[in-house]
């Protein structure tokens, strides 16, 4: 294994971006992702700086290339990109002032100084700005052709989300600099803001690494030093480093696979999905904190990384559907059980369900879903038992299903019997169970509707807004209630299931 050599310094933004250097965000890096909260925090930090103030911006990791003036940005691309956008917003404001004949000649010189120092240089033949910063495949065209050239897109809503964020960042900072200099349209003051607040007062910890250092090693080393990095970035960079070291031409296809997985998952983190996927196929349960090291031990070759990415892509639709009862993947019977599991907010069973959907016959999968609903209600909702033990048992079952050792719901349930709460214990737990109706209204409605069906034969629509939960002992007992309870603490009874009932209001 090659050693990792660092060169560390603490330069300002102008020292990083200046001296004829150019920078590139590798295609396997994530798209631009900052939004309003990050923009606002950064702007407030910059705007409050005085000439003798400094503001620390954190780590930037650059990888050297054969061209001594060209670097790949391994970490810090969101900050470097955003600072470049602020510079572009200032250039745009100067151009507006030039158009309005405000210090036109002097402001042209200032504009060129800012553009040359922070953005790029004008090519003599085309008079087009060649940017210092090149973004990844998804973001580069818009950044280079629109933002750097100060062009307004005709239909930004049709662009990819990360491209829309780039343009929204530009419009946000353009508005901020306009407001800042509204009462003092001084080109000198604006230049001092760029060269001072941005260029000289923001400093970083810069780490430069050699050509023989893979991106994932840098991420891993920084993570060990306590620098908070995305787990999904760690995993992506490691997998891509295995593949791209021998086949750089695969980058576009792999990047599209990774983006597709993220798009299907929506708000679910890739690492959450990967953890359930991985544990279903391994004997040992890995936590998020140990997943990366476990993956490195098992996936060390290009083909293994390719196989993993392909399998993740093949299984992601099923995984995403587990949290969406309306997904077209489910039959009516499956949809009912998935809806109940989501109401219970239970995910420990996802590893088992992920492989069971693939390996079991459809009828057996429906039976397994119903069994897991019953186990989850008894164990998680009413029993409030240790979820770690539940995950361990589910994972053991998932491993056996994946290896073909368990092929029926009955055989799987036999393995799960240790987490099936017996009737006597369940009844005792149910008798004293309290659920706060303010925090889990739909769950309480679900439980009471099941009781109504069992003992009254009535079906209750949980979405019927005329059906409400009422407390027999009120949430705010009067003195008469307190006296009736002989000064016993009534709070322990208010949210007990036995104190709750469903009522249908007149409509």
């Amino acid at each position: 294994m090659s050693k990792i050599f660092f060169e560390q310094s603490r330069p300002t933004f102008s020292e990083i971006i200046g001296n004829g250097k150019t920078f590139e965000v590798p295609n396997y890096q994530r798209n631009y992702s900052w939004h309003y909260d990050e923009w606002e925090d950064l702007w407030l930090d910059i705007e409050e700086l005085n000439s003798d103030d400094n503001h620390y911006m954190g780590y930037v990791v650059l990888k050297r290339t054969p061209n001594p003036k060209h670097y790949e940005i391994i970490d810090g691309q969101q900050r470097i990109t955003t600072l470049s956008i602020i510079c572009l917003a200032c250039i745009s404001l100067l151009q507006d002032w030039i158009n309005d004949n405000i210090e036109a000649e002097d402001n042209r010189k200032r504009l060129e100084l800012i553009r040359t120092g922070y953005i790029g240089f004008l090519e003599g033949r085309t008079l087009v700005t060649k940017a210092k910063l090149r973004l990844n495949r998804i973001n580069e065209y818009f950044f280079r052709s629109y933002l750097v050239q100060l062009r307004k897109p005709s239909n930004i809503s049709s662009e990819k989300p990360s491209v829309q964020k780039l343009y929204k960042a530009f419009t946000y900072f353009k508005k901020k600099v306009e407001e800042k200099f509204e009462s003092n349209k001084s080109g000198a003051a604006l230049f001092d803001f760029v060269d001072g607040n941005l260029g000289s007062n923001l400093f970083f910890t810069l780490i430069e690494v050699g050509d023989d250092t893979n991106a994932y090693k840098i991420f891993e080393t920084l993570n060990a030093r306590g620098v908070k990095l995305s787990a999904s970035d760690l995993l992506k960079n490691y997998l891509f480093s295995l593949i791209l070291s021998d086949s750089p031409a695969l980058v576009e296809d792999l990047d599209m696979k990774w983006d597709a997985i993220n798009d299907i998952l929506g708000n679910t983190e890739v690492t959450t999905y990967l953890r359930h996927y991985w544990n279903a196929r391994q004997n040992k349960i890995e936590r998020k904190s140990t997943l990366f090291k476990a993956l490195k031990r098992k996936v060390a070759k290009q083909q293994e990384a390719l196989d993993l990415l392909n399998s993740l892509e093949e299984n992601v639709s099923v995984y995403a559907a587990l949290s969406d009862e309306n997904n077209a993947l489910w039959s009516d019977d499956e949809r009912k059980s998935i809806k109940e599991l989501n109401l219970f907010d239970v995910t420990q069973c996802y590893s088992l369900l992920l492989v069971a959907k693939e390996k079991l016959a459809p009828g057996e999968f429906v039976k397994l879903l119903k069994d897991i609903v019953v186990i989850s209600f008894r164990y998680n909702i009413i029993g409030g038992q240790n979820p770690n033990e539940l995950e361990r048992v589910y994972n053991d079952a998932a491993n056996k299903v994946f290896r073909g050792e368990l092929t029926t719901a009955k055989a799987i349930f036999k393995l799960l019997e240790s987490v099936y709460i017996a009737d006597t214990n369940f009844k005792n737990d149910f008798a004293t169970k309290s659920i706060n109706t303010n925090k889990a209204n739909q769950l309480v409605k679900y439980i009471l509707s099941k009781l109504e069906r069992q003992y009254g034969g009535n079906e209750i629509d949980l979405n019927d807004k005329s059906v409400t939960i009422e407390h027999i002992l009120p949430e705010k007992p009067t003195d008469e209630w307190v006296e009736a309870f002989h000064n016993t603490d009534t709070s322990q009874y208010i949210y007990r299931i036995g104190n709750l009932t469903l009522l249908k209001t007149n409509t």
Side-chain angles (χ1 to χ4, degrees):
M1 178 183 293
S2 59
K3 294 182 179 179
I4 303 177
F5 296 101
F6 293 108
E7 283 189 14
Q8 185 167 313
S9 58
R10 294 171 73 84
T12 64
F13 177 53
S14 64
E15 289 169 340
I16 290 176
I17 207 81
N19 299 321
K21 290 178 286 190
T22 57
F23 304 86
E24 178 179 354
V25 177
N27 280 330
Y28 57 76
Q29 291 278 23
R30 62 180 173 175
N31 300 327
Y32 185 74
S33 62
W34 273 23
H35 47 71
Y36 179 83
D37 290 341
E38 286 92 353
W39 302 333
E40 184 175 46
D41 287 344
L42 178 58
W43 177 255
L44 291 174
D45 289 336
I46 293 170
E47 191 179 28
E48 292 173 0
L49 289 171
N50 296 316
S51 60
D52 56 348
D53 289 339
N54 288 315
H55 180 72
Y56 179 59
M57 293 290 292
Y59 279 81
V60 169
V61 181
L62 302 179
K63 177 183 174 182
R64 302 187 195 99
T65 68
N67 180 345
K69 290 285 189 178
H70 184 71
Y71 297 85
E72 290 185 2
I73 303 178
I74 304 303
D75 188 47
Q77 60 134 321
Q78 304 291 332
R79 284 161 289 160
I80 297 297
T81 302
T82 306
L83 289 173
S84 298
I85 289 173
I86 298 175
C87 291
L88 285 166
C90 293
I91 288 173
S92 180
L93 183 57
L94 275 175
Q95 185 61 60
D96 291 345
W97 291 349
I98 292 168
N99 295 341
D100 292 339
N101 204 29
I102 299 173
E103 302 180 74
E105 191 59 36
D106 288 342
N107 281 337
R108 283 192 187 92
K109 295 175 182 177
R110 293 175 181 124
L111 186 153
E112 289 307 318
L113 286 171
I114 295 172
R115 178 157 51 192
T116 304
Y118 296 92
I119 300 301
F121 57 90
L122 279 177
E123 291 185 318
R125 185 174 61 83
T126 63
L127 295 181
V128 170
T129 302
K130 184 175 181 180
K132 289 174 171 286
L133 176 64
R134 180 182 178 87
L135 302 186
N136 72 0
R137 176 179 55 85
I138 300 297
N139 296 155
E140 168 57 17
Y141 177 77
F142 183 83
F143 180 75
R144 169 172 46 87
S145 299
Y146 286 91
L147 293 189
V148 172
Q149 308 303 332
L150 302 181
R151 293 172 57 206
K152 184 177 181 179
S154 59
N155 185 16
I156 190 64
S157 62
S158 66
E159 299 287 352
K160 293 182 181 296
S162 62
V163 170
Q164 293 184 37
K165 286 178 182 177
L166 283 170
Y167 188 65
K168 287 178 181 178
F170 174 78
T171 57
Y172 171 86
F173 289 115
K174 176 68 179 293
K175 182 180 179 181
K176 288 299 182 182
V177 294
E178 285 176 340
E179 292 171 351
K180 182 175 179 63
F181 294 98
E182 185 175 10
S183 60
N184 178 29
K185 296 182 179 181
S186 165
L190 180 55
F191 182 84
D192 287 344
F193 172 74
V194 174
D195 214 40
N197 293 46
L198 295 178
S200 301
N201 296 106
L202 302 180
F203 71 98
F204 300 77
T205 297
L206 174 64
I207 296 177
E208 293 185 24
V209 297
D211 297 337
D212 61 344
T213 307
N214 287 325
Y216 87 92
K217 294 178 183 176
I218 307 306
F219 271 62
E220 184 180 12
T221 304
L222 286 176
N223 202 48
R225 292 184 177 192
V227 180
K228 187 177 180 181
L229 297 169
S230 165
S232 62
D233 283 339
L234 271 169
L235 293 165
K236 179 183 177 183
N237 277 276
Y238 174 67
L239 293 175
F240 277 37
S241 71
L242 291 177
I243 297 167
L244 301 179
S245 60
D246 293 328
S247 305
L250 287 173
V251 63
E252 186 168 352
D253 181 56
L254 296 174
D255 208 34
M256 290 174 66
K257 282 183 187 291
W258 191 265
D259 285 346
I261 291 170
N262 274 282
D263 288 344
I264 293 171
L265 289 174
N267 293 328
T268 302
E269 287 186 357
V270 173
T271 43
T272 301
Y273 164 48
L274 180 55
R275 180 174 174 269
H276 283 121
Y277 169 94
W278 186 261
N279 286 341
R281 292 157 172 76
Q282 309 297 325
N283 291 322
K284 179 185 176 184
I285 294 178
E286 300 295 345
R287 305 297 172 194
K288 278 189 177 182
S289 59
T290 62
L291 179 61
F292 180 57
K293 289 185 178 179
L295 185 144
K296 278 180 59 184
R297 287 195 298 269
K298 292 290 184 72
V299 181
K301 298 178 181 178
Q302 183 192 69
Q303 191 58 50
E304 291 169 342
L306 279 170
D307 291 344
L308 176 59
L309 279 172
N310 288 333
S311 185
L312 287 171
E313 186 184 33
E314 291 167 3
N315 286 272
V316 68
S317 294
V318 173
Y319 185 83
L322 292 174
S323 57
D324 177 16
E325 67 267 17
N326 296 314
N327 194 289
L329 181 68
W330 306 124
S331 66
D332 289 341
D333 285 340
E334 291 169 336
R335 184 172 291 108
K336 180 175 179 293
S337 295
I338 294 295
K339 183 176 182 179
E340 290 173 310
L341 289 176
N342 288 331
L343 181 63
F344 300 163
D345 194 23
V346 170
T347 60
Q348 293 91 352
C349 54
Y350 277 15
S351 293
L352 174 56
L353 292 176
L354 188 60
V355 295
K357 181 63 177 173
E358 177 188 357
K359 300 290 185 178
L360 299 186
E364 295 300 322
F365 183 74
V366 171
K367 293 176 186 176
L368 175 63
L369 269 175
K370 291 178 179 179
D371 288 342
I372 289 178
V373 168
V374 173
I375 290 172
S376 300
F377 183 72
R378 291 185 172 226
Y379 190 98
N380 297 74
I381 303 303
I382 303 302
Q385 299 294 310
N386 182 1
N388 292 333
E389 173 61 16
L390 185 64
E391 185 176 33
R392 185 192 65 77
V393 175
Y394 278 139
N395 202 72
D396 186 25
N399 294 164
K400 288 180 168 58
V401 171
F402 181 71
R403 294 194 296 267
E405 298 171 17
L406 299 176
T407 58
T408 66
K410 183 176 181 180
I412 297 170
F413 184 78
K414 187 171 182 61
L415 189 65
L416 300 177
E417 279 183 332
S418 64
V419 291
Y420 178 84
I421 305 299
D423 288 349
T424 301
N425 292 335
F426 174 69
K427 289 177 181 178
N428 290 336
D429 291 338
F430 195 89
T432 58
K433 183 65 180 181
S434 291
I435 302 177
N436 191 317
T437 52
N438 297 312
K439 298 179 179 178
N441 186 277
Q442 282 296 101
L443 177 60
V444 173
K445 268 191 177 183
Y446 168 84
I447 295 171
L448 296 178
S449 70
K450 291 291 186 182
L451 292 172
E452 182 67 27
R453 179 183 177 185
Q454 182 172 346
Y455 294 104
N458 298 316
E459 289 286 349
I460 304 296
D461 180 3
L462 298 184
N463 296 318
D464 186 347
K465 294 183 179 179
S466 68
V467 177
T468 61
I469 300 168
E470 298 297 329
H471 300 74
I472 301 169
L473 167 65
E475 288 184 277
K476 296 181 179 179
T478 61
D479 292 341
E480 289 82 2
W481 279 102
V482 174
E483 184 177 345
F485 274 77
H486 304 291
N487 294 319
T488 302
D489 182 9
T490 57
S491 64
Q492 62 181 304
Y493 299 103
I494 290 172
Y495 295 115
R496 282 194 183 181
I497 295 174
N499 186 52
L500 307 173
T501 188
L502 292 177
L503 289 181
K504 189 174 181 67
T505 59
N506 294 324
T507 56

